[in-house]
Amino acid sequence: SIPIAKQLASIKVLGKGSDLEKAFATAALVYSNSADCEGKLSKAETKTLLQTQFGAFIQGQENKPKYQEIISALDEESENKIDFEDFMILLVSLTLMSDLLQEMKNMKKTK
């Protein structure tokens, strides 16, 4: 497996890309590297990917009802697969409820 940084470096247009473009390209590559030949992830694979690649954002969220709802949905109907669009919706949802996001907002206010 080729490291994400090396994959990003090989995409010439991203050389002059913004931080946000690089962030989304990274998310797309992480997803793509884990997806099956149809470009999808099983719900179990999605849960594992979120836990391993998005741990700082989901840490401490276990008792929040919305987090429990998202994870429960990934534990049910495991034969259903997640496409990239749904994966990004999960990322955004988890980011918005994250304590880390609130901490970053508070940092900005105190500068």
Side-chain angles (χ1 to χ4, degrees):
S1 170
I2 301 169
I4 296 293
K6 194 168 190 173
Q7 290 179 54
L8 285 172
S10 71
I11 303 170
K12 292 181 182 180
V13 71
L14 286 178
K16 295 181 181 179
S18 70
D19 291 340
L20 189 56
E21 288 170 323
K22 291 174 184 174
F24 271 86
T26 299
L29 285 170
V30 168
Y31 177 89
S32 180
N33 288 343
S34 299
D36 64 15
C37 60
E38 296 174 345
K40 295 185 178 187
L41 290 173
S42 73
K43 287 186 174 185
E45 290 167 328
T46 301
K47 183 178 176 181
T48 299
L49 187 61
L50 290 171
Q51 290 170 332
T52 59
Q53 293 289 321
F54 215 58
F57 277 90
I58 61 176
Q59 183 177 12
Q61 306 306 305
E62 297 83 9
N63 295 324
K64 291 184 178 180
K66 185 66 178 171
Y67 177 84
Q68 290 175 348
E69 179 184 324
I70 289 170
I71 296 304
S72 292
L74 292 176
D75 288 336
E76 296 170 2
E77 301 178 36
S78 60
E79 68 277 355
N80 292 340
K81 293 192 174 188
I82 303 290
D83 62 15
F84 181 67
E85 180 179 334
D86 290 335
F87 180 76
M88 291 303 290
I89 291 169
L90 287 172
L91 281 182
V92 170
S93 297
L94 291 169
T95 300
L96 290 173
M97 76 175 79
S98 171
D99 294 335
L100 181 59
L101 179 63
Q102 190 58 48
E103 187 177 322
M104 292 183 319
K105 286 179 182 178
N106 290 341
M107 265 183 32
K108 188 175 180 181
K109 289 179 185 176
T110 58
K111 281 189 174 181

